[in-house]
Every structure is written in structure tokens, then in C-alpha cells.
Amino acid sequence: MQQAPFPLSPSLWAATAAPPPPTEALAASTQADVLVIGGGYAGLSTALHLAERGVKTIVLEAREIGFGGSGRNGGQVIPGLKYDPDDLISMFGHEKGERLLRFAGATADTVFNLIDRHAMDVPHVRKGWIQGAHTDEALRIAHGRAAQWARHGADAQPLDRDQVSRLLGTDRYLGGWVDNRAGAVQPLSYVRGLARAALNAGALIHTETPVTGLKREGGKWTASTARGATVTAERVVMCTNAYGGDLLPGLKTSIIDANTFQVATAPLPESVRAGIFPEGHVTSDTRNLLLYFRLDHQGRLLMGGRGPFREPKGPQDWAHLERVMFKMFPQVAGTPFEYRWCGRVAITRDYLPHLHEPQPGLLVDIGCQGRGVGLQTSMGRAMAQYVATGDAAALPVPLSPVVPFPLYGLRRLYVNAVVTWYRMTDGGV
């Protein structure tokens, strides 16, 4: 996710994160077995799991660790995908669908197990995720979703209106469901923890080293960098998500790089804080333009949602989220906002994660759809297994060609049109 083009305070996560491990820019040309491009969840998880297999791995990050989406998301760790279990089995068939369900259902386990195994300095909570339903039809779908996941062994239950109101601290939902596998992390601390674990396992990480070109000669790949040094490797794993630019022709046009915005209050007084998420849940709702919110580890209330497609021009671009927060939680009215931040997310045409292998030895991972913390950590482990063994069954989704969005140059127009339609159909808060 990108920094705003005008002076702002740092994001909440940048202000409260554990320090990063020491890294340096690539100073001299070198070689590796595998080059990973991108120092976010997917890239660092890939590097960690490759290094643990004894594979010489180098990570090149254009900015600092977690500069993009991995350091700027809402920090919710939600298993599953955008589609319900029955839909995934219908889309992929029984065998592949069940395998994808097992993968998607275990993504939160992957995150919390890594935090424990590597003793990461990461504030985290695992008390479950609630999806609040804003209409009667959405409530019917939410209860069906809970039943489907429960049939597949998940600790999931439907919730009525009173239960949701008590667990969230707002009466704006008609009910919903809870997935007790989920939780939350301080996202920038977590990605820095992944980096530290990868370094300890033997991977090399070079920050402030943008990759400017890739070419394949003699069965090996060479990455050129803005500083002139190169990395030559047998395999390349590209994990740049919405920030790959033109490094791979056509990749940028295969996603919509929408903006997501977040605000955070000052720490709430204990008397107010006790009635909001009293049991430590996190939440997002059933709106097409969904709202997602939770408390952080210091008692701030966070609210996230869509903002302008363009880059922000000033604090007014977050005003809609601040109004929504006070409508949903009138008990926090008057609490000042300490942080406002935003950035790009990668939305694919089918709302699924995509894996591409456009040339031999080049693996590309793209698309989070709002579940990147767990999804991309687990995807990194799967990609490491595939790169190390060549076993395509290790990948949760099949390799696919890069397919551009139609009329990509007009994406801002049709995204704005869709957003306007969703705002009318979602109704007010």
C-alpha cells in the first residue's frame, strides 16, 4: 500500500510496531537458488520456508519490509476465502475443492503457529471473527455460511441480533456468525517477525533495492536492480501483489488496484472500551462495500473501508469512515482520531488468489481479497514446497494464465460506477 502524497502522521502500525531486523540494500551482484521479489507476507513466508529446507534464498524489497499491504492492512487474520465451501467445491470439483478448503481453513493456524514457534514480538489475539449481517437476506446467507463451515469441521456458529450486539458493542446488525478460528495481529510487527525468522533460517533480505528488470538466459534468471547490482537464480518467485508495476508485462492489468482507507481513535477510556468487543473479537460485515473494525492492542478503535480510487488529498477523504464510526458506536463520540492511512489492494476478476507461471522458473502470486495475512503466509509455504519439489499438488489453486481486465484503462470509471451502485444497494449505516 502506498504512502499518501501529502504530509500525514505515520500509520498506526508504523507508530506502534516492533523494530525491524537490520537489512541493507544489495551492494554487489550475487547468485542464489531462488530469488524472491517482495518483502511482504507471501515473499517472506516463501523465503522462510525455503531457507528451512536448505535452499539458498535472496529477497529483494523495493522499499522497507512490509511497506506495502503487509504493513498497512487491518491486521485481521480470517481463514477461508470470499466463496463459501459449497461454492468452492462446485467451482473446483470435489477433490480439488476439498483440498482448497483444507488450505483456506488452516490459514489462521499458519500465522499463529509461526508467531509461537519463532517467539515473534507481535501483539495478537485469537478470539474469533464475527461477520455482521446488515439485511435479512444477508443474515440468511451468513447463517448458511456458518452451517457450511461447521460441516467441514470449523468452530463456527450462527449468531442472533442480541449476541452480535453484545459481542461487538453496536446494535447496527441483525445478527451474523462467528468463526472462532480467526483473530488479529499487529500486521507490521508480524511481517517484521517473518523477516527476522527468515534471516535466522539463513535467507538474505535486501531492502531499498527495487528490481527493474528480469531476463532468462541459459536456464537461469537475472534480476537487475535500480542500484546496478544483479541477482542470478534458477527460480524466481514474484510476490509484489498490487505493487509489481510493469516488471511482468500484463500483470498490472490483471487486477484492480483499489484503495482501502482506515482510521484509528486515541485509546478509549476503560469505561467505554469495556463495552466494545468485550471478548476480543474482530469483525467485518456483509456489505458489498464492507466495513471492518476492531480494537488494537492499546485500546484504539479502528474502522476501515473503501475510499476514493485516487490517492487522498487530505483528511477529508477519511471523513466518511469517521462519521460511520460515530453512528455505529455513539459511545465513542468525541474521541479524537490519531491515525489515518490508506493503500492499494489487489482484486482479481474472480475474487480468488492467482498463481501464474508465465515462463519456466518464474512463479507469480497475486490477489488477497482482504484476507492477505493468513492467506499469503500460507501461500508462501505452499509456493516454497512447489519451488523446492516441483510438486504442483502443493499449490492450493491451479496455475493459470495472466488475463487482463477488459477496458483496463477505464477501470477508475467503472470502479467508481460500481462503488456508487453498491452504496445505494447497501443502504446506510
Side-chain angles (χ1 to χ4, degrees):
M1 298 185 179
Q2 293 171 298
Q3 296 276 14
F6 61 91
L8 281 178
S9 61
S11 75
L12 167 62
W13 309 131
T16 63
T23 57
E24 296 179 347
L26 181 67
S29 297
T30 188
Q31 296 185 352
D33 298 326
V34 179
L35 166 64
V36 176
I37 303 174
Y41 300 134
L44 293 170
S45 177
T46 301
L48 167 61
H49 290 97
L50 282 172
E52 289 180 333
R53 289 173 171 264
V55 178
K56 184 179 180 182
T57 306
I58 292 177
V59 178
L60 296 183
E61 162 58 42
R63 300 292 293 270
E64 61 189 40
I65 293 166
F67 172 81
S70 295
R72 293 174 176 272
N73 63 85
Q76 299 192 21
V77 186
I78 306 171
L81 297 169
K82 287 291 187 182
Y83 294 95
D84 295 335
D86 290 355
D87 295 327
L88 291 173
I89 290 174
S90 176
M91 294 165 67
F92 290 91
H94 183 77
E95 181 179 351
K96 292 180 179 179
E98 288 284 358
R99 189 169 73 228
L100 178 55
L101 278 174
R102 289 192 296 272
F103 169 86
T107 55
D109 291 337
T110 303
V111 171
F112 294 111
N113 289 343
L114 283 173
I115 290 173
D116 290 343
R117 179 157 64 92
H118 295 280
M120 295 181 188
D121 182 10
V122 179
H124 62 282
V125 62
R126 195 176 190 185
K127 298 295 186 178
W129 164 71
I130 293 171
Q131 186 177 39
H134 70 296
T135 66
D136 289 331
E137 175 61 13
L139 181 60
R140 182 190 67 78
I141 293 171
H143 284 181
R145 185 167 293 147
Q148 287 185 41
W149 274 112
R151 287 198 301 271
H152 287 273
D155 184 4
Q157 296 90 34
L159 300 174
D160 63 25
R161 185 170 196 155
D162 289 342
Q163 289 172 311
V164 170
S165 178
R166 180 181 67 83
L167 293 172
L168 299 188
T170 177
D171 61 2
R172 293 289 176 158
Y173 295 109
L174 304 179
W177 72 290
V178 60
D179 187 337
N180 292 302
R181 302 170 296 179
V185 297
Q186 209 286 14
L188 185 55
S189 288
Y190 173 58
V191 73
R192 289 175 174 178
L194 277 178
R196 194 176 300 276
L199 289 166
N200 289 340
L204 300 176
I205 301 174
H206 294 285
T207 50
E208 302 297 335
T209 307
V211 176
T212 56
L214 280 173
K215 65 178 180 180
R216 190 168 187 264
E217 293 179 344
K220 292 190 176 183
W221 287 90
T222 298
S224 53
T225 71
R227 294 174 175 267
T230 63
V231 175
T232 301
E234 295 182 7
R235 303 291 299 270
V236 175
V237 182
M238 185 173 169
C239 305
T240 54
N241 210 41
Y243 291 84
D246 297 316
L247 190 57
L248 179 65
L251 185 64
K252 180 171 67 175
T253 64
S254 72
I255 60 165
I256 296 295
D257 53 340
N259 242 341
T260 184
F261 284 61
Q262 295 178 69
V263 296
T265 67
L268 301 178
E270 186 57 39
S271 59
V272 175
R273 179 177 173 179
I276 298 175
F277 299 108
E279 296 185 14
H281 293 86
V282 300
T283 190
S284 56
D285 63 22
T286 52
R287 289 177 171 85
N288 289 303
L289 298 178
L290 65 82
L291 299 169
Y292 53 97
F293 42 101
R294 68 178 182 96
L295 293 176
D296 82 335
H297 59 289
Q298 296 177 340
R300 297 177 182 85
L301 183 58
L302 283 68
M303 176 74 70
R306 282 285 178 263
F309 192 93
R310 58 168 171 75
E311 289 305 304
K313 296 180 179 179
Q316 68 274 10
D317 286 326
W318 284 266
H320 62 294
L321 290 176
E322 296 171 11
R323 289 193 297 269
V324 166
M325 182 183 287
F326 290 152
K327 286 182 179 179
M328 296 189 69
F329 298 97
Q331 61 269 48
V332 307
T335 304
F337 289 91
E338 285 190 341
Y339 299 96
R340 301 174 180 89
W341 71 102
C342 68
R344 299 285 173 185
V345 296
I347 302 172
T348 60
R349 295 181 67 177
D350 55 9
Y351 299 102
L352 287 169
H354 287 185
L355 293 172
H356 309 300
E357 198 168 48
Q359 296 184 55
L362 175 60
L363 180 63
V364 180
D365 165 47
I366 196 165
C368 298
Q369 278 69 237
R371 307 211 175 185
V373 182
L375 173 63
Q376 294 303 333
T377 301
S378 296
M379 192 67 81
R381 183 176 62 182
M383 291 190 295
Q385 183 177 347
Y386 172 67
V387 168
T389 67
D391 181 9
L395 299 177
V397 294
L399 295 168
S400 61
V402 177
V403 179
F405 267 89
L407 302 173
Y408 179 77
L410 301 177
R411 71 193 186 285
R412 295 194 178 199
L413 294 177
Y414 60 69
V415 167
N416 287 336
V418 169
V419 167
T420 300
W421 171 251
Y422 281 163
R423 280 181 179 147
M424 292 192 304
T425 57
D426 280 341
V429 173

